[in-house]
Amino acid sequence: MSRTRIKICGLTRPQDVRAAVDHGADAVGFVFYPPSPRAVSIDQAAALVALLPPFVTSVGLFVNAGQDEVDAVLERVPLQLLQFHGDETEADCARYGRPWIKAARMRAGVDLVEFSSLHPRAGGILVDAFVEGYGGGGKTFDWSLIPEGFGRPLVLSGGLDAGNVTEAVRRIRPWAVDVSSGVERDKGIKDAAQIAAFIAGVRQADG
Ligand SMILES: O=C(O)c1ccccc1NCC(=O)[C@H](O)[C@H](O)COP(=O)(O)O
């Protein structure tokens, strides 16, 4: 059984990037959605991505951004993976020639299989809770809404923390987990001890 990949999202400070990398995160996410308290500028993101060693994926997160907005980021920030967290169509996501994951905002009544079929070229589907402000809400959703045998890389997200991630991984066996609020002392301000505890919780489930 391969180990569960780990993405730490919403990083804004160099020390938090270093903490995520040092504790073994596989990916770090930077939010390019201005209303978010975790949003970073292009200059800030370029400096943070420059801290990443090989084999730690830089992820850029967008919500219904215009093409010019995404292009302006991509010109200056070497993002290896894009994450589209709004109402983007497959065509919207595919226009940048970069690998991407598409976020589904999950709640009762959302058919994840149908959603997935609308995004066949996405590298994976990130399943987040349905929250105001599109994401970063620190809220879990009913994991039983995730169908058995989903059949493509699933990134479990939404309200995860060191207290629930071991159970979440054991129940869902996702390709990866993603966390923002659950490793923070304040929005956009990560806590190294919470990052360490979260990653240890994932590793405990991996066995
Ligand atoms: O993090 C944000 O502020 C954010 C704002 C708008 C859209 C998406 C956002 N974050 C995307 C992520 O991938 C988060 O890690 C994900 O929503 C889970 O957040 P949390 O429940 O706080 O762990």
Side-chain angles (χ1 to χ4, degrees), residues 86-176:
D87 311 306
E88 298 85 354
T89 64
E90 163 110 331
D92 293 333
C93 300
R95 63 167 59 111
Y96 303 100
R98 307 273 172 116
W100 75 91
I101 55 177
K102 181 64 186 79
R105 300 157 67 212
M106 204 58 195
R107 59 181 174 179
V110 172
D111 180 336
L112 198 56
V113 172
E114 185 196 0
F115 179 92
S116 174
S117 73
L118 299 174
H119 296 276
R121 289 182 287 165
I125 302 293
L126 182 145
V127 190
D128 193 1
F130 192 103
V131 293
E132 210 149 300
Y134 285 95
K139 298 266 184 298
T140 56
F141 64 92
D142 177 0
W143 298 331
S144 66
L145 292 172
I146 296 173
E148 298 274 325
F150 183 58
R152 66 191 293 198
L154 183 144
V155 182
L156 184 63
S157 178
L160 296 179
D161 60 26
N164 64 18
V165 73
T166 302
E167 181 205 351
V169 171
R170 283 182 176 148
R171 269 182 60 181
I172 307 297
R173 290 290 169 209
W175 171 257

Side-chain angles (χ1 to χ4, degrees), residues 8-153:
I8 309 290
C9 196
L11 296 162
T12 64
R13 305 187 308 170
Q15 59 266 49
D16 297 342
V17 171
R18 279 192 280 272
V21 169
D22 291 350
H23 288 291
D26 298 285
V28 290
F30 303 101
V31 176
F32 297 97
Y33 178 55
S36 166
R38 304 179 181 97
V40 288
S41 68
I42 289 175
D43 287 343
Q44 218 181 337
L48 293 171
V49 170
L51 298 174
L52 296 179
F55 309 119
V56 178
T57 302
S58 55
V59 183
L61 187 144
F62 300 91
V63 179
N64 300 326
Q67 180 162 354
D68 293 349
E69 193 181 338
V70 178
D71 285 341
V73 171
L74 295 179
E75 255 165 50
R76 298 267 314 285
V77 188
L79 294 170
Q80 295 159 302
L81 182 69
L82 306 183
Q83 176 178 323
F84 294 103
H85 217 102
D87 311 306
E88 298 85 354
T89 64
E90 163 110 331
D92 293 333
C93 300
R95 63 167 59 111
Y96 303 100
R98 307 273 172 116
W100 75 91
I101 55 177
K102 181 64 186 79
R105 300 157 67 212
M106 204 58 195
R107 59 181 174 179
V110 172
D111 180 336
L112 198 56
V113 172
E114 185 196 0
F115 179 92
S116 174
S117 73
L118 299 174
H119 296 276
R121 289 182 287 165
I125 302 293
L126 182 145
V127 190
D128 193 1
F130 192 103
V131 293
E132 210 149 300
Y134 285 95
K139 298 266 184 298
T140 56
F141 64 92
D142 177 0
W143 298 331
S144 66
L145 292 172
I146 296 173
E148 298 274 325
F150 183 58
R152 66 191 293 198

